Amino acid sequence: MDDATREVRAEESAPVPQRTPNNIRSDGDKELAKRVLRKIDWRLIPLMFITYNLNFMDKTILSSASVFGLREDTHLEGQQYSWVSSVFYFGYFMWEYPTTLLVARLPVARYLTANTFFWGAVVAVTTACSNYGGLITVRFLLGVAEATITPAFMFITSTWYTRDEIPTRTGYWFAGNSVGGLVASFLAFGVGHIENSLAPWKWMYIILGVVTFLWGIPLLLFLPDSISKAKFLTEEERKYASDRVVLAGTGRTDHTSWKLDQVIECVSDPKTWMIFSMSLLTQIPNGGTQNFGNLVLKSFGFTSLESTLLVIPASVISAGTIAGTGWLAGRYRKMNCILIVCVVLPAVVGSSLIYIRPKTSNGVQLFGYFLLSTGPGGIPLLMSLVGANFKGVTKKMTMTALLFIAYCAGNIAGPQFFKASEAPHYNTAFRAILVCYCLVVGLALTLRFYLQWVNTKRERDEGVKGSAGAGGAVAAGKMLDETEVQDVTERAGVLELSAEDYDDVTDWKTFGFRYRL
């Protein structure tokens, strides 16, 4: 953008003394805004929440299966169980970047449906595994299948919602992770009582595989590919839904193409690598505790059945943390990085309490385990930062791929710190968890200071305050200020947008774009 254009836009952004009659909001506009958001929420959030519920259950039921005969029936020895845990993320890692490109280029609902049918079949086939090689194969394929889910949901969330709405909605559907852990615990407890020729762990995989496969049907019938194809909205509502994400979202996502310059910009952006590092560091603990959680609980003196029940309060804590911090991050634009610190600090204390055993009682160790349950709240907050702070379809999807490449690397590494020779205390693992979470605290604070500095610099260079809520669009001849963007969803129908507002441009190249902290 040249200096002359910057000066013109700076003048245009000056406060307008009186709105013209065409820009005055009516009660009808308010009702339309509420109706559109309500329809979008009731259509998208339940579908994503239940899918994410199954996503987590299918991935982590391995932990429950491990205490109900899976390791013995498949003749696992030494570190083989750790590799069965880790190989899931090799498949995830391999397919992550290709699938992020496909998510942005294919009809996302149809792509998700096909993926879900494949995913359910893989889960069910796990029942037939009788050795290490078979388990390694199906876990790798499960990683390939599940690699599409989260990038697709991040894409859908940033396509349909404003920057203020993205953190809260991400928290809602990501909470399906923890609720999935709760449901999986009840399932494992119930199935664990089955006594017949088929082992309980096999019933777990049969039930989850069939349910996941059948879930592909509701996705096919009810999940829209884009705003323009949403049959549950009227034509007026579709136009309104599209304009609101241009005004206060991260831009339009349909009819775009892959752009090399956006990839280069993404890998040149310092915030990319800070978020990448935090994703890696939060997932090293996650990868270990997800797959060894039941074994750790058994080491506290509990039985297999009791360990499945004790995962339930941990899942409730995790779900509450994710949903609560997601709501706070959406409500307050300068809280995201601070919230990352807040969810990680209890996990620091929890890992410390477990690390110093056997100097502490089983009750204290169990309390420490529950404190670890807040740690998973870090990754949805990082996803919210990506959704709200990266603009440009290729740049955002590249960052999404990098985020989950780090996610995979962390989850691959995590189980390897749980050395079979150190069972049941796993001192190396809990020392690594403590170090990782401490580093996350430092990086979150560094990212916050960096984004504050960038926002201040852009205000000085552009000569306008800009907004961390608006998407940088210039509507009705002027840029929206902080006060106006608060009710942007009520203004979408009455503000005129220019053709360039719909362009696929990045956050670096959008005048007035300010970062959420």
Side-chain angles (χ1 to χ4, degrees):
M1 183 182 296
D2 57 33
D3 293 338
T5 305
R6 292 182 188 274
E7 290 175 6
V8 170
R9 287 201 169 185
E11 291 173 4
E12 290 174 341
S13 67
V16 177
Q18 183 68 41
R19 289 177 181 156
T20 62
N22 288 335
N23 287 337
I24 296 177
R25 289 179 288 119
S26 67
D27 290 338
D29 297 327
K30 293 181 181 180
E31 181 55 36
L32 177 61
K34 292 178 181 178
R35 184 172 71 249
V36 169
L37 183 57
R38 184 169 59 249
K39 280 188 172 185
I40 292 172
D41 279 344
W42 279 105
R43 176 56 64 97
L44 299 184
I45 298 300
L47 290 171
M48 293 194 290
F49 177 85
I50 294 173
T51 305
Y52 223 65
N53 191 310
L54 292 168
N55 175 79
F56 188 80
M57 291 170 66
D58 292 347
K59 175 173 57 182
T60 61
I61 198 65
L62 178 70
S63 180
S64 295
S66 70
V67 297
F68 282 104
L70 177 140
R71 291 186 300 167
E72 293 77 13
D73 290 350
T74 54
H75 316 292
L76 300 184
E77 300 175 353
Q79 288 293 107
Q80 288 184 336
Y81 177 73
S82 293
W83 282 111
V84 169
S85 303
S86 294
V87 76
F88 170 93
Y89 295 98
F90 282 98
Y92 205 115
F93 180 92
M94 183 204 74
W95 189 238
E96 187 57 37
Y97 192 64
T99 200
T100 57
L101 296 180
L102 292 173
V103 163
R105 298 175 72 89
L106 295 177
V108 66
R110 302 296 181 268
Y111 181 43
L112 265 174
T113 299
N115 185 82
T116 302
F117 288 139
F118 172 65
W119 159 28
V122 170
V123 174
V125 167
T126 307
T127 307
C129 294
S130 59
N131 55 41
Y132 176 61
L135 274 180
I136 283 284
T137 302
V138 294
R139 288 285 293 178
F140 180 87
L141 292 175
L142 184 62
V144 171
E146 293 199 15
T148 297
I149 307 301
T150 309
F153 285 3
M154 289 180 66
F155 179 79
I156 290 169
T157 306
S158 60
T159 297
W160 287 82
Y161 290 104
T162 68
R163 296 177 70 197
D164 283 341
E165 295 161 355
I166 286 171
T168 304
R169 271 61 183 188
T170 300
Y172 287 162
W173 57 256
F174 197 92
N177 241 357
S178 300
V179 175
L182 189 153
V183 175
S185 297
F186 280 119
L187 173 67
F189 182 77
V191 173
H193 287 84
I194 295 176
E195 295 181 4
N196 61 19
S197 58
L198 199 61
W201 72 267
K202 294 188 177 183
W203 277 113
M204 294 176 193
Y205 279 103
I206 290 172
I207 293 169
L208 288 176
V210 171
V211 171
T212 301
F213 186 89
L214 293 177
W215 180 246
I217 298 172
L219 289 180
L220 178 64
L221 296 177
F222 301 115
L223 185 65
D225 288 314
S226 64
I227 293 176
S228 61
K229 296 179 181 178
K231 294 181 180 179
F232 68 95
L233 298 175
T234 66
E235 185 175 348
E236 178 191 22
E237 290 169 344
R238 287 194 291 270
K239 174 67 166 60
Y240 197 91
S242 180
D243 285 352
R244 68 193 288 276
V245 294
V246 172
L247 279 168
T250 52
R252 198 171 180 176
T253 56
D254 51 351
H255 307 301
T256 58
S257 58
W258 186 84
K259 298 179 179 179
L260 178 60
D261 62 309
Q262 291 193 14
V263 176
I264 295 171
E265 182 177 315
C266 181
V267 297
S268 304
D269 195 331
K271 68 179 183 289
T272 293
W273 300 109
M274 283 184 257
I275 293 174
F276 177 92
S277 299
M278 282 191 282
S279 178
L280 174 66
L281 291 167
T282 57
Q283 295 314 297
I284 289 174
N286 185 69
T289 55
Q290 263 188 11
N291 295 290
F292 284 82
N294 289 78
L295 295 174
V296 170
L297 286 169
K298 282 189 69 176
S299 75
F300 296 162
F302 300 104
T303 66
S304 296
L305 284 172
E306 287 171 341
S307 73
T308 63
L309 290 179
L310 287 170
V311 174
I312 293 171
S315 299
V316 172
I317 294 169
S318 184
T321 300
I322 292 168
T325 54
W327 181 85
L328 288 171
R331 181 74 175 81
Y332 303 102
R333 294 173 184 159
K334 298 181 179 180
M335 283 286 289
N336 210 308
C337 292
I338 297 300
L339 288 170
I340 291 174
V341 173
C342 290
V343 301
V344 163
L345 285 178
V348 170
V349 176
S351 57
S352 301
L353 290 175
I354 298 175
Y355 176 63
I356 62 174
R357 63 176 178 163
K359 298 177 183 178
T360 55
S361 67
N362 285 348
V364 172
Q365 293 166 21
L366 181 61
F367 177 68
Y369 180 83
F370 289 151
L371 288 178
L372 286 174
S373 304
T374 65
I379 192 70
L381 290 169
L382 291 172
M383 289 159 55
S384 297
L385 280 172
V386 172
N389 284 345
F390 284 77
K391 194 166 184 281
V393 173
T394 305
K395 181 176 183 181
K396 179 181 295 182
M397 297 314 289
T398 300
M399 181 62 240
T400 299
L402 288 172
L403 179 77
F404 286 100
I405 286 171
Y407 169 88
C408 292
N411 279 284
I412 288 169
Q416 303 309 316
F417 288 99
F418 283 79
K419 298 180 179 179
S421 60
E422 294 183 352
H425 292 165
Y426 300 114
N427 287 336
T428 299
F430 286 100
R431 183 166 61 245
I433 290 171
L434 176 61
V435 171
C436 287
Y437 279 138
C438 287
L439 290 173
V440 171
V441 171
L443 281 168
L445 294 175
T446 301
L447 177 62
R448 178 180 172 83
F449 292 137
Y450 171 73
L451 294 176
Q452 283 180 320
W453 174 77
V454 172
N455 283 347
T456 301
K457 183 177 183 299
R458 293 188 72 161
E459 286 178 11
R460 184 175 61 249
D461 293 346
E462 296 175 351
V464 296
K465 186 172 180 60
S467 168
V474 177
K478 66 186 290 291
M479 184 174 295
L480 302 181
D481 59 30
E482 283 288 341
T483 303
E484 291 172 319
V485 81
Q486 294 289 344
D487 59 5
V488 70
T489 57
E490 297 172 9
R491 295 165 54 82
V494 295
L495 292 172
E496 280 187 37
L497 295 171
S498 63
E500 67 177 16
D501 290 328
Y502 291 95
D503 288 345
D504 178 24
V505 295
T506 66
D507 48 281
W508 277 14
K509 297 175 182 177
T510 300
F511 187 85
F513 191 95
R514 299 293 179 267
Y515 297 107
R516 299 180 70 100
L517 310 177

